[in-house]
């Protein structure tokens, strides 16, 4: 195992990684910005290095400062967590050149899968189902029209360098194509310095179902089942659960095999996630592959009893996976609610500031991953997520009741949070039914508005 690991991140994920290192007996180095001096990751780590001012670009996003901290402290490996430099191929390359192990896949694989056009072509070669569309990037309107002649409207334009829903445009009819194509190209250039656009048939009202992959450096690739992340608002996940309400043993077998085949073909190493769209008929299509550990990884840990961060460290240290696909046993049901410092009544505007009181739920099957505490000041500079509440139970019905109970126990005062909003979603009959799609949150707001208008009406 590694002599010392640097965690190039902050917040709950930094704590999560420090905990795994502790259990493995690996000394840790935290890095922090001036805004994070009172953060728990600074106190939990064996050593901590201030790497710059609050601004991410001058601290957590600056490879030079992270590498300098690793060299000064003698860290031999870097865990990037999620966000920040976690999917930055150039950073992974710099680590390699400095003789530091980047805990993740190779720079080449990060670069390949970061380009959504190349990722899709890789999956086609691996035999993974993809949404019908352009073979690669489309250079102009004529090329787009040729593809549309084959697949028909509606279509979706996506940026090759995009991902996570950024830089997408839906085109419902021919009259919209020209302007949509030009704006998509301009936005892609502005946002990602790469104007390349590709085109797909638009899958109406899909679900988001992703598979967790583990791949060692010896050619062994397995999956840890799925997470259903269909409940999102503006491409921000709010709730993740496993098993998916739409999953069957046969579909899990098919999607899992596709995910493993895709990861193998890409030469994937370490932990990763393959995202699929699932349509109303249960057909699934590759969307993108995330080359980092994800926020929602605890959901999978709860249903498989596998510590994904520990596995990441072992894999990066060159160990073989210690279990086979057949030895992965799925048990029960787990769900995660993301608790954000946001005001749902002000369009989810960030609500930084001091937490005056903080009480976390507990009891059987309840897990809270958080860096927050009473009197902690949520800085305005970073992501607004302050806690993840994960519960585990025998089945979805019991899990949802436990989640409601746990949300009821959760007290955060001094700032606005999404706790009450999460309670309303969990209690919502459509959510409870399990039969919903990616428009769920939008539909939920429409329904609650109509409900408010109709409250004085005699029906
Ligand atoms: C799509 C789609 C429909 N058809 N692609 C959004 C995130 C990015 N990874 C891809 N996304 C979508 N791609 C085709 N061909 C609909 C979405 C989409 C979506 C996907 C997953 C979860 C929430 C979503 C919300 C809106 C749109």
């Amino acid at each position: 195992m590694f002599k010392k690991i640097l965690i190039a991140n902050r917040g709950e994920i930094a704590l999560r990684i420090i905990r795994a290192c502790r259990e493995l007996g690996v000394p840790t180095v935290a890095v922090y910005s001036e805004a994070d001096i009172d953060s728990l990751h600074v106190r939990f780590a064996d050593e901590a290095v201030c790497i710059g001012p609050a601004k991410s670009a001058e601290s957590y996003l600056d490879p030079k400062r992270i590498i300098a901290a690793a060299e000064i402290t003698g860290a031999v490996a870097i865990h990037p967590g999620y966000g920040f430099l976690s999917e930055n191929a150039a950073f992974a390359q710099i680590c390699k050149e400095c003789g530091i192990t980047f805990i993740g896949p190779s720079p080449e694989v990060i670069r390949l899968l970061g380009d959504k056009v190349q990722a899709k072509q890789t999956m086609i070669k691996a035999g993974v189902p993809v949404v019908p569309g352009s073979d690669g990037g489309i250079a102009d309107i004529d090329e787009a029209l040729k593809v549309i002649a084959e697949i028909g409207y509606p279509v979706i334009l996506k940026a090759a360098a995009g991902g996570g829903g950024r830089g997408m445009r839906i085109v419902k009819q021919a009259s919209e194509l020209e302007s949509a194509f030009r704006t998509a190209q301009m936005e892609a250039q502005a946002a990602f310095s790469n104007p390349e656009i590709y085109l797909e048939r638009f899958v109406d009202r899909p679900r988001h179902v992703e598979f967790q992959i583990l791949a060692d450096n010896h050619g062994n690739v397995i999956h840890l089942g799925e997470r259903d992340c269909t409940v999102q608002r503006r491409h921000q996940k709010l709730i993740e659960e496993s098993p998916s309400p739409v999953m069957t043993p046969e579909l899990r077998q098919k999607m899992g095999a596709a995910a493993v085949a895709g990861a193998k073909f890409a030469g994937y190493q370490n932990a990763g996630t393959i995202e699929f769209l699932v349509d109303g008929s249960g057909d699934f299509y590759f969307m993108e592959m995330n080359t980092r550990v994800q926020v929602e990884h605890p959901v999978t840990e709860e249903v498989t009893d596998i510590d994904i961060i520990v596995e990441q460290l072992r894999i990066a240290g060159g160990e073989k996976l210690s279990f086979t696909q057949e030895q992965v046993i799925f048990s029960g049901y787990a769900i995660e609610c993301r608790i954000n410092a946001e005001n749902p009544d002000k369009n989810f505007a960030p609500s930084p500031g001091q937490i005056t009181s903080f009480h976390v739920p507990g009891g059987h099957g309840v897990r809270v991953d958080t860096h927050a505490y009473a009197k902690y000041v949520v800085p305005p500079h970073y992501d607004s997520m302050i806690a993840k509440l994960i519960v585990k139970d025998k089945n979805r019905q019991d899990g949802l009741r436990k989640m409601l109970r746990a949300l009821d126990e959760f007290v955060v005062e001094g700032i606005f949070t999404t706790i009450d909003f999460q309670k309303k979603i969990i209690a919502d009959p459509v959510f409870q039914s399990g039969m919903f799609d990616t428009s769920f949150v939008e539909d939920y707001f429409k329904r609650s508005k109509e409900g408010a208008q109709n409250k004085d009406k005699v029906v």
Side-chain angles (χ1 to χ4, degrees), residues 116 120 131-132 154-156 158 163-166 168 170 198-209 229-237 275-277 285-288 290 437-439 442:
K116 305 308 166 191
K120 194 173 172 183
V131 186
V155 298
I156 185 165
K158 296 183 179 181
R166 295 171 310 156
M168 304 191 320
I170 299 162
Y198 66 109
L199 181 155
E200 293 180 339
R201 197 184 82 218
F202 176 65
V203 180
D204 196 28
R205 291 185 164 261
R207 294 183 79 108
H208 172 129
V209 179
C229 311
T230 299
V231 180
Q232 308 193 1
R233 178 185 169 275
R234 301 196 177 164
H235 303 298
Q236 288 289 106
K237 292 170 187 163
E275 298 181 351
F276 294 103
L277 290 176
Y285 309 94
F286 169 79
M287 254 197 305
E288 47 194 73
N290 300 317
D437 55 57
T438 49
S439 305
E442 225 178 293

Side-chain angles (χ1 to χ4, degrees), residues 103-105 213-217 268-272 311-313 315-316:
I103 300 171
I213 292 291
L214 288 180
D216 67 20
N217 304 349
Y268 201 84
Q269 287 174 348
N270 216 284
E311 294 307 322
Q312 283 195 291
L313 300 175
I315 290 169

Side-chain angles (χ1 to χ4, degrees), residues 162-235:
R166 295 171 310 156
M168 304 191 320
R169 272 272 175 313
I170 299 162
V171 184
K172 297 222 156 105
Q173 52 191 46
S175 62
E176 299 166 3
L177 180 66
E178 190 154 336
S179 94
F181 184 77
R182 280 183 218 298
T183 3
Q185 243 183 356
M186 289 207 330
E187 281 180 8
Q189 174 63 40
F192 318 112
S193 317
N194 175 358
E196 192 179 13
I197 297 293
Y198 66 109
L199 181 155
E200 293 180 339
R201 197 184 82 218
F202 176 65
V203 180
D204 196 28
R205 291 185 164 261
R207 294 183 79 108
H208 172 129
V209 179
E210 60 186 30
F211 272 70
Q212 177 69 53
I213 292 291
L214 288 180
D216 67 20
N217 304 349
H218 307 273
N220 304 301
V221 184
I222 61 162
H223 73 81
L224 302 183
E226 79 282 5
R227 295 183 289 260
D228 192 312
C229 311
T230 299
V231 180
Q232 308 193 1
R233 178 185 169 275
R234 301 196 177 164
H235 303 298

Side-chain angles (χ1 to χ4, degrees), residues 133-354:
S134 56
D135 288 333
I138 42 171
D140 51 42
I141 308 278
D142 277 353
E143 234 184 290
L145 284 169
K146 273 181 203 149
V147 181
I148 295 168
E150 305 264 322
I151 63 172
Y153 290 99
V155 298
I156 185 165
L157 302 173
K158 296 183 179 181
R166 295 171 310 156
M168 304 191 320
R169 272 272 175 313
I170 299 162
V171 184
K172 297 222 156 105
Q173 52 191 46
S175 62
E176 299 166 3
L177 180 66
E178 190 154 336
S179 94
F181 184 77
R182 280 183 218 298
T183 3
Q185 243 183 356
M186 289 207 330
E187 281 180 8
Q189 174 63 40
F192 318 112
S193 317
N194 175 358
E196 192 179 13
I197 297 293
Y198 66 109
L199 181 155
E200 293 180 339
R201 197 184 82 218
F202 176 65
V203 180
D204 196 28
R205 291 185 164 261
R207 294 183 79 108
H208 172 129
V209 179
E210 60 186 30
F211 272 70
Q212 177 69 53
I213 292 291
L214 288 180
D216 67 20
N217 304 349
H218 307 273
N220 304 301
V221 184
I222 61 162
H223 73 81
L224 302 183
E226 79 282 5
R227 295 183 289 260
D228 192 312
C229 311
T230 299
V231 180
Q232 308 193 1
R233 178 185 169 275
R234 301 196 177 164
H235 303 298
Q236 288 289 106
K237 292 170 187 163
L238 298 172
I239 294 172
E240 304 95 349
E241 51 183 332
S242 187
S244 165
V246 296
M247 195 51 67
T248 62
E250 298 73 44
L251 184 60
R252 181 175 297 113
Q253 153 67 31
K254 270 204 291 186
M255 293 181 76
V260 166
K264 270 194 181 152
F265 198 89
Y268 201 84
Q269 287 174 348
N270 216 284
T273 300
I274 305 209
E275 298 181 351
F276 294 103
L277 290 176
V278 179
D279 70 15
S281 352
D283 288 327
F284 64 91
Y285 309 94
F286 169 79
M287 254 197 305
E288 47 194 73
M289 181 160 189
N290 300 317
T291 59
R292 59 169 191 278
V293 72
Q294 294 197 242
V295 173
E296 60 271 25
H297 76 276
V299 168
T300 300
E301 295 185 326
E302 294 304 317
V303 295
T304 61
D305 209 18
I306 292 168
D307 185 320
I308 293 172
I309 307 292
V310 165
E311 294 307 322
Q312 283 195 291
L313 300 175
R314 288 190 179 140
I315 290 169
E319 291 181 34
K320 284 187 181 167
L321 283 176
S322 63
F323 44 86
T324 62
Q325 185 67 63
E326 290 67 41
Q327 287 169 329
V328 177
I329 295 162
F330 301 100
S331 127
Y333 168 86
I335 179 168
E336 170 178 280
C337 284
R338 297 190 187 194
I339 311 303
N340 295 341
E342 292 172 358
N343 185 349
D345 293 332
K346 292 231 162 96
N347 202 25
F348 295 84
S351 177
Q354 186 169 49

